[in-house]
Amino acid sequence: MVALRAKELGIFLVRQKIKDKAQAFGEILEAEKLRPEQVCYMGDDLVDLPVLCRAGFAVAVADAVAEVKSAAHWVTRSPGGRGAVREVCEKILKNAGKMEEGDAEIFPFPGG
């Protein structure tokens, strides 16, 4: 299901069932020639902490465990699977000056 949704969204760099997320994060950074501070990472559980602590913009979903919320730069109002990703995308676009309040219809998210 995740792979199918990612394909619909044009996302081709997908990792699933990863136990060592820090290692996968490092591999993705290297492959894409990115620095950790250029990355937004969103998590909800303890396994996400090593990456959240390295990402430039660490986000916890509303229903994340307390430790993840404490490590995050920002916590969404929406729980995971209930609009949290859209919330983060809108925040990033607004902070980049690419979107203003009420502009959601200008930037339609597939399936959103």
Side-chain angles (χ1 to χ4, degrees):
M1 205 176 239
V2 171
L4 178 62
R5 182 66 174 141
K7 186 177 177 182
E8 289 173 356
L9 295 172
I11 301 169
F12 300 101
L13 190 56
V14 177
R15 301 287 187 274
Q16 295 187 71
K17 298 180 183 177
I18 300 294
K19 290 187 177 155
D20 187 345
K21 290 190 178 188
Q23 179 181 340
F25 183 65
E27 291 168 1
I28 291 170
L29 291 176
E30 187 175 323
E32 297 300 312
K33 297 178 178 42
L34 293 170
R35 296 182 315 276
E37 60 270 17
Q38 294 176 289
V39 176
C40 171
Y41 184 86
M42 194 170 182
D44 69 345
D45 210 343
L46 297 176
V47 70
D48 296 304
L49 281 173
V51 181
L52 284 165
C53 291
R54 291 183 61 199
F57 184 40
V59 178
V61 294
D63 55 343
V65 297
E67 295 89 343
V68 168
K69 288 181 180 180
S70 293
H73 297 116
W74 188 62
V75 179
T76 64
R77 290 182 308 275
S78 305
R82 301 277 187 237
V85 170
R86 182 183 180 104
E87 211 177 303
V88 174
C89 291
E90 288 180 359
K91 183 170 186 66
I92 291 169
L93 287 170
K94 286 174 186 171
N95 285 345
K98 306 285 185 191
M99 182 178 184
E100 295 180 21
E101 291 297 327
D103 282 350
E105 64 278 357
I106 296 171
F107 295 97
F109 291 94

